[in-house]
mmCIF file of all heavy atoms in Angstrom:
data_model
loop_
_atom_site.group_PDB
_atom_site.id
_atom_site.type_symbol
_atom_site.label_atom_id
_atom_site.label_comp_id
_atom_site.label_asym_id
_atom_site.label_seq_id
_atom_site.Cartn_x
_atom_site.Cartn_y
_atom_site.Cartn_z
ATOM 1 N N GLU X 555 0.098 13.965 -0.063
ATOM 2 C CA GLU X 555 -0.252 15.298 -0.554
ATOM 3 C C GLU X 555 -1.375 15.268 -1.591
ATOM 4 O O GLU X 555 -1.957 16.316 -1.908
ATOM 5 C CB GLU X 555 0.988 15.976 -1.165
ATOM 6 C CG GLU X 555 2.087 16.311 -0.165
ATOM 7 C CD GLU X 555 2.951 15.113 0.187
ATOM 8 O OE1 GLU X 555 2.722 14.029 -0.385
ATOM 9 O OE2 GLU X 555 3.841 15.259 1.045
ATOM 10 N N ALA X 556 -1.699 14.085 -2.102
ATOM 11 C CA ALA X 556 -2.755 13.967 -3.111
ATOM 12 C C ALA X 556 -4.122 13.740 -2.480
ATOM 13 O O ALA X 556 -5.083 13.418 -3.188
ATOM 14 C CB ALA X 556 -2.433 12.820 -4.063
ATOM 15 N N GLU X 557 -4.255 13.931 -1.176
ATOM 16 C CA GLU X 557 -5.510 13.621 -0.492
ATOM 17 C C GLU X 557 -6.699 14.358 -1.102
ATOM 18 O O GLU X 557 -7.760 13.760 -1.329
ATOM 19 C CB GLU X 557 -5.397 13.963 0.993
ATOM 20 C CG GLU X 557 -6.667 13.641 1.786
ATOM 21 C CD GLU X 557 -6.523 13.968 3.261
ATOM 22 O OE1 GLU X 557 -5.516 14.607 3.644
ATOM 23 O OE2 GLU X 557 -7.434 13.588 4.039
ATOM 24 N N MET X 558 -6.572 15.640 -1.383
ATOM 25 C CA MET X 558 -7.714 16.416 -1.892
ATOM 26 C C MET X 558 -8.121 15.937 -3.280
ATOM 27 O O MET X 558 -9.313 15.857 -3.585
ATOM 28 C CB MET X 558 -7.367 17.901 -1.916
ATOM 29 C CG MET X 558 -7.090 18.501 -0.537
ATOM 30 S SD MET X 558 -8.330 18.036 0.723
ATOM 31 C CE MET X 558 -9.805 18.792 0.029
ATOM 32 N N GLN X 559 -7.150 15.620 -4.111
ATOM 33 C CA GLN X 559 -7.498 15.105 -5.442
ATOM 34 C C GLN X 559 -8.195 13.748 -5.341
ATOM 35 O O GLN X 559 -9.141 13.469 -6.083
ATOM 36 C CB GLN X 559 -6.237 14.981 -6.312
ATOM 37 C CG GLN X 559 -5.677 16.306 -6.786
ATOM 38 C CD GLN X 559 -4.611 16.838 -5.864
ATOM 39 O OE1 GLN X 559 -4.469 16.384 -4.715
ATOM 40 N NE2 GLN X 559 -3.837 17.806 -6.344
ATOM 41 N N LEU X 560 -7.738 12.905 -4.403
ATOM 42 C CA LEU X 560 -8.395 11.607 -4.216
ATOM 43 C C LEU X 560 -9.824 11.790 -3.720
ATOM 44 O O LEU X 560 -10.749 11.093 -4.175
ATOM 45 C CB LEU X 560 -7.605 10.753 -3.219
ATOM 46 C CG LEU X 560 -6.241 10.231 -3.693
ATOM 47 C CD1 LEU X 560 -5.551 9.485 -2.552
ATOM 48 C CD2 LEU X 560 -6.385 9.320 -4.900
ATOM 49 N N LEU X 561 -10.026 12.726 -2.806
ATOM 50 C CA LEU X 561 -11.380 12.988 -2.308
ATOM 51 C C LEU X 561 -12.293 13.468 -3.428
ATOM 52 O O LEU X 561 -13.484 13.114 -3.470
ATOM 53 C CB LEU X 561 -11.337 14.022 -1.184
ATOM 54 C CG LEU X 561 -10.820 13.511 0.167
ATOM 55 C CD1 LEU X 561 -10.612 14.677 1.135
ATOM 56 C CD2 LEU X 561 -11.788 12.494 0.771
ATOM 57 N N ARG X 562 -11.749 14.253 -4.329
ATOM 58 C CA ARG X 562 -12.561 14.731 -5.452
ATOM 59 C C ARG X 562 -12.978 13.566 -6.347
ATOM 60 O O ARG X 562 -14.119 13.511 -6.821
ATOM 61 C CB ARG X 562 -11.768 15.768 -6.254
ATOM 62 C CG ARG X 562 -12.605 16.500 -7.311
ATOM 63 C CD ARG X 562 -11.801 17.574 -8.024
ATOM 64 N NE ARG X 562 -11.266 18.548 -7.075
ATOM 65 C CZ ARG X 562 -9.975 18.727 -6.827
ATOM 66 N NH1 ARG X 562 -9.067 17.993 -7.460
ATOM 67 N NH2 ARG X 562 -9.568 19.627 -5.968
ATOM 68 N N ILE X 563 -12.068 12.633 -6.568
ATOM 69 C CA ILE X 563 -12.416 11.459 -7.377
ATOM 70 C C ILE X 563 -13.459 10.614 -6.661
ATOM 71 O O ILE X 563 -14.430 10.134 -7.268
ATOM 72 C CB ILE X 563 -11.144 10.643 -7.685
ATOM 73 C CG1 ILE X 563 -10.238 11.418 -8.646
ATOM 74 C CG2 ILE X 563 -11.506 9.283 -8.280
ATOM 75 C CD1 ILE X 563 -8.902 10.754 -8.915
ATOM 76 N N VAL X 564 -13.271 10.411 -5.359
ATOM 77 C CA VAL X 564 -14.254 9.650 -4.576
ATOM 78 C C VAL X 564 -15.630 10.281 -4.686
ATOM 79 O O VAL X 564 -16.644 9.590 -4.861
ATOM 80 C CB VAL X 564 -13.809 9.586 -3.097
ATOM 81 C CG1 VAL X 564 -14.939 9.034 -2.222
ATOM 82 C CG2 VAL X 564 -12.573 8.710 -2.950
ATOM 83 N N ASP X 565 -15.678 11.587 -4.634
ATOM 84 C CA ASP X 565 -16.954 12.298 -4.571
ATOM 85 C C ASP X 565 -17.649 12.391 -5.926
ATOM 86 O O ASP X 565 -18.867 12.217 -6.021
ATOM 87 C CB ASP X 565 -16.713 13.705 -4.021
ATOM 88 C CG ASP X 565 -18.018 14.431 -3.705
ATOM 89 O OD1 ASP X 565 -19.040 13.752 -3.443
ATOM 90 O OD2 ASP X 565 -18.016 15.675 -3.708
ATOM 91 N N THR X 566 -16.878 12.634 -7.006
ATOM 92 C CA THR X 566 -17.519 13.020 -8.264
ATOM 93 C C THR X 566 -17.201 12.128 -9.459
ATOM 94 O O THR X 566 -17.810 12.316 -10.519
ATOM 95 C CB THR X 566 -17.110 14.463 -8.630
ATOM 96 O OG1 THR X 566 -15.688 14.520 -8.865
ATOM 97 C CG2 THR X 566 -17.472 15.423 -7.504
ATOM 98 N N ASP X 567 -16.266 11.192 -9.343
ATOM 99 C CA ASP X 567 -15.868 10.452 -10.543
ATOM 100 C C ASP X 567 -17.031 9.604 -11.066
ATOM 101 O O ASP X 567 -17.698 8.912 -10.288
ATOM 102 C CB ASP X 567 -14.671 9.555 -10.262
ATOM 103 C CG ASP X 567 -13.915 9.215 -11.533
ATOM 104 O OD1 ASP X 567 -14.335 8.283 -12.243
ATOM 105 O OD2 ASP X 567 -12.923 9.900 -11.831
ATOM 106 N N PRO X 568 -17.263 9.631 -12.395
ATOM 107 C CA PRO X 568 -18.373 8.843 -12.942
ATOM 108 C C PRO X 568 -18.139 7.339 -12.934
ATOM 109 O O PRO X 568 -19.084 6.564 -13.119
ATOM 110 C CB PRO X 568 -18.485 9.367 -14.387
ATOM 111 C CG PRO X 568 -17.143 9.936 -14.698
ATOM 112 C CD PRO X 568 -16.608 10.465 -13.409
ATOM 113 N N SER X 569 -16.883 6.919 -12.751
ATOM 114 C CA SER X 569 -16.590 5.483 -12.729
ATOM 115 C C SER X 569 -16.660 4.972 -11.289
ATOM 116 O O SER X 569 -15.810 5.334 -10.462
ATOM 117 C CB SER X 569 -15.192 5.213 -13.305
ATOM 118 O OG SER X 569 -14.790 3.887 -13.025
ATOM 119 N N PRO X 570 -17.648 4.128 -10.941
ATOM 120 C CA PRO X 570 -17.717 3.592 -9.569
ATOM 121 C C PRO X 570 -16.465 2.813 -9.178
ATOM 122 O O PRO X 570 -16.023 2.878 -8.025
ATOM 123 C CB PRO X 570 -18.953 2.686 -9.604
ATOM 124 C CG PRO X 570 -19.740 3.133 -10.777
ATOM 125 C CD PRO X 570 -18.754 3.634 -11.777
ATOM 126 N N GLU X 571 -15.878 2.083 -10.151
ATOM 127 C CA GLU X 571 -14.685 1.289 -9.839
ATOM 128 C C GLU X 571 -13.501 2.187 -9.509
ATOM 129 O O GLU X 571 -12.746 1.919 -8.562
ATOM 130 C CB GLU X 571 -14.336 0.378 -11.022
ATOM 131 C CG GLU X 571 -15.346 -0.720 -11.294
ATOM 132 C CD GLU X 571 -16.570 -0.203 -12.056
ATOM 133 O OE1 GLU X 571 -16.513 0.948 -12.555
ATOM 134 O OE2 GLU X 571 -17.574 -0.930 -12.135
ATOM 135 N N LEU X 572 -13.330 3.272 -10.274
ATOM 136 C CA LEU X 572 -12.216 4.169 -10.013
ATOM 137 C C LEU X 572 -12.430 4.926 -8.697
ATOM 138 O O LEU X 572 -11.484 5.131 -7.929
ATOM 139 C CB LEU X 572 -12.041 5.149 -11.170
ATOM 140 C CG LEU X 572 -10.886 6.145 -11.041
ATOM 141 C CD1 LEU X 572 -9.568 5.437 -10.778
ATOM 142 C CD2 LEU X 572 -10.780 7.011 -12.295
ATOM 143 N N ALA X 573 -13.669 5.328 -8.437
ATOM 144 C CA ALA X 573 -13.960 5.996 -7.163
ATOM 145 C C ALA X 573 -13.640 5.069 -5.991
ATOM 146 O O ALA X 573 -13.094 5.505 -4.970
ATOM 147 C CB ALA X 573 -15.427 6.423 -7.123
ATOM 148 N N PHE X 574 -13.963 3.793 -6.145
ATOM 149 C CA PHE X 574 -13.641 2.831 -5.082
ATOM 150 C C PHE X 574 -12.129 2.697 -4.921
ATOM 151 O O PHE X 574 -11.628 2.606 -3.790
ATOM 152 C CB PHE X 574 -14.260 1.468 -5.393
ATOM 153 C CG PHE X 574 -13.916 0.417 -4.376
ATOM 154 C CD1 PHE X 574 -14.606 0.338 -3.177
ATOM 155 C CD2 PHE X 574 -12.892 -0.480 -4.608
ATOM 156 C CE1 PHE X 574 -14.287 -0.619 -2.226
ATOM 157 C CE2 PHE X 574 -12.561 -1.448 -3.673
ATOM 158 C CZ PHE X 574 -13.253 -1.515 -2.478
ATOM 159 N N GLU X 575 -11.378 2.681 -6.032
ATOM 160 C CA GLU X 575 -9.922 2.581 -5.936
ATOM 161 C C GLU X 575 -9.349 3.788 -5.203
ATOM 162 O O GLU X 575 -8.421 3.655 -4.388
ATOM 163 C CB GLU X 575 -9.306 2.470 -7.338
ATOM 164 C CG GLU X 575 -9.479 1.114 -7.990
ATOM 165 C CD GLU X 575 -8.893 -0.008 -7.166
ATOM 166 O OE1 GLU X 575 -7.780 0.161 -6.643
ATOM 167 O OE2 GLU X 575 -9.546 -1.055 -7.026
ATOM 168 N N ALA X 576 -9.886 4.985 -5.486
ATOM 169 C CA ALA X 576 -9.417 6.181 -4.782
ATOM 170 C C ALA X 576 -9.754 6.103 -3.297
ATOM 171 O O ALA X 576 -8.937 6.445 -2.432
ATOM 172 C CB ALA X 576 -10.048 7.428 -5.411
ATOM 173 N N LEU X 577 -10.953 5.623 -2.993
ATOM 174 C CA LEU X 577 -11.362 5.455 -1.596
ATOM 175 C C LEU X 577 -10.478 4.441 -0.879
ATOM 176 O O LEU X 577 -10.023 4.671 0.251
ATOM 177 C CB LEU X 577 -12.832 5.016 -1.566
ATOM 178 C CG LEU X 577 -13.428 4.558 -0.236
ATOM 179 C CD1 LEU X 577 -13.284 5.630 0.824
ATOM 180 C CD2 LEU X 577 -14.898 4.197 -0.426
ATOM 181 N N ASP X 578 -10.203 3.332 -1.543
ATOM 182 C CA ASP X 578 -9.365 2.305 -0.926
ATOM 183 C C ASP X 578 -7.926 2.785 -0.788
ATOM 184 O O ASP X 578 -7.204 2.347 0.117
ATOM 185 C CB ASP X 578 -9.424 1.026 -1.754
ATOM 186 C CG ASP X 578 -8.875 -0.173 -0.994
ATOM 187 O OD1 ASP X 578 -9.246 -0.349 0.179
ATOM 188 O OD2 ASP X 578 -8.064 -0.915 -1.573
ATOM 189 N N THR X 579 -7.495 3.672 -1.674
ATOM 190 C CA THR X 579 -6.154 4.252 -1.554
ATOM 191 C C THR X 579 -6.059 5.133 -0.315
ATOM 192 O O THR X 579 -5.059 5.098 0.420
ATOM 193 C CB THR X 579 -5.809 5.051 -2.816
ATOM 194 O OG1 THR X 579 -5.799 4.166 -3.946
ATOM 195 C CG2 THR X 579 -4.452 5.721 -2.702
ATOM 196 N N LEU X 580 -7.089 5.923 -0.059
ATOM 197 C CA LEU X 580 -7.125 6.720 1.174
ATOM 198 C C LEU X 580 -7.045 5.808 2.395
ATOM 199 O O LEU X 580 -6.340 6.103 3.367
ATOM 200 C CB LEU X 580 -8.400 7.558 1.211
ATOM 201 C CG LEU X 580 -8.478 8.722 0.224
ATOM 202 C CD1 LEU X 580 -9.909 9.241 0.132
ATOM 203 C CD2 LEU X 580 -7.534 9.853 0.638
ATOM 204 N N ARG X 581 -7.792 4.691 2.346
ATOM 205 C CA ARG X 581 -7.755 3.742 3.458
ATOM 206 C C ARG X 581 -6.371 3.133 3.614
ATOM 207 O O ARG X 581 -5.843 3.039 4.728
ATOM 208 C CB ARG X 581 -8.774 2.627 3.214
ATOM 209 C CG ARG X 581 -8.710 1.517 4.274
ATOM 210 C CD ARG X 581 -9.141 0.187 3.719
ATOM 211 N NE ARG X 581 -8.328 -0.265 2.623
ATOM 212 C CZ ARG X 581 -7.154 -0.889 2.745
ATOM 213 N NH1 ARG X 581 -6.631 -1.128 3.926
ATOM 214 N NH2 ARG X 581 -6.493 -1.276 1.668
ATOM 215 N N ALA X 582 -5.756 2.726 2.481
ATOM 216 C CA ALA X 582 -4.449 2.077 2.542
ATOM 217 C C ALA X 582 -3.382 3.001 3.111
ATOM 218 O O ALA X 582 -2.442 2.537 3.767
ATOM 219 C CB ALA X 582 -4.044 1.593 1.146
ATOM 220 N N MET X 583 -3.532 4.311 2.879
ATOM 221 C CA MET X 583 -2.555 5.277 3.399
ATOM 222 C C MET X 583 -2.918 5.758 4.796
ATOM 223 O O MET X 583 -2.299 6.670 5.325
ATOM 224 C CB MET X 583 -2.429 6.459 2.432
ATOM 225 C CG MET X 583 -1.817 6.080 1.092
ATOM 226 S SD MET X 583 -1.281 7.501 0.094
ATOM 227 C CE MET X 583 -2.830 8.352 -0.185
ATOM 228 N N GLN X 584 -3.963 5.142 5.402
ATOM 229 C CA GLN X 584 -4.378 5.456 6.770
ATOM 230 C C GLN X 584 -4.760 6.932 6.934
ATOM 231 O O GLN X 584 -4.542 7.535 7.983
ATOM 232 C CB GLN X 584 -3.264 5.094 7.762
ATOM 233 C CG GLN X 584 -2.970 3.603 7.859
ATOM 234 C CD GLN X 584 -4.040 2.840 8.632
ATOM 235 O OE1 GLN X 584 -4.365 3.173 9.758
ATOM 236 N NE2 GLN X 584 -4.607 1.811 8.009
ATOM 237 N N LEU X 585 -5.368 7.500 5.895
ATOM 238 C CA LEU X 585 -5.851 8.883 5.973
ATOM 239 C C LEU X 585 -7.263 8.891 6.544
ATOM 240 O O LEU X 585 -7.984 7.882 6.473
ATOM 241 C CB LEU X 585 -5.813 9.526 4.589
ATOM 242 C CG LEU X 585 -4.401 9.721 4.021
ATOM 243 C CD1 LEU X 585 -4.457 10.198 2.584
ATOM 244 C CD2 LEU X 585 -3.600 10.695 4.878
ATOM 245 N N PRO X 586 -7.715 10.019 7.108
ATOM 246 C CA PRO X 586 -9.049 10.059 7.726
ATOM 247 C C PRO X 586 -10.151 9.712 6.721
ATOM 248 O O PRO X 586 -10.161 10.209 5.598
ATOM 249 C CB PRO X 586 -9.162 11.515 8.198
ATOM 250 C CG PRO X 586 -7.764 11.993 8.328
ATOM 251 C CD PRO X 586 -6.990 11.298 7.268
ATOM 252 N N LEU X 587 -11.077 8.884 7.165
ATOM 253 C CA LEU X 587 -12.185 8.470 6.301
ATOM 254 C C LEU X 587 -13.515 9.124 6.675
ATOM 255 O O LEU X 587 -14.474 9.029 5.900
ATOM 256 C CB LEU X 587 -12.343 6.947 6.348
ATOM 257 C CG LEU X 587 -11.160 6.125 5.835
ATOM 258 C CD1 LEU X 587 -11.503 4.642 5.845
ATOM 259 C CD2 LEU X 587 -10.740 6.559 4.441
#
Side-chain angles (χ1 to χ4, degrees):
E555 293 80 2
E557 181 179 9
M558 297 313 297
Q559 287 93 344
L560 290 176
L561 285 171
R562 190 177 302 114
I563 291 175
V564 169
D565 190 25
T566 64
D567 202 277
S569 167
E571 293 79 12
L572 181 54
F574 177 81
E575 285 302 317
L577 170 57
D578 195 47
T579 298
L580 289 166
R581 175 209 60 82
M583 293 194 297
Q584 294 285 306
L585 294 173
L587 297 184

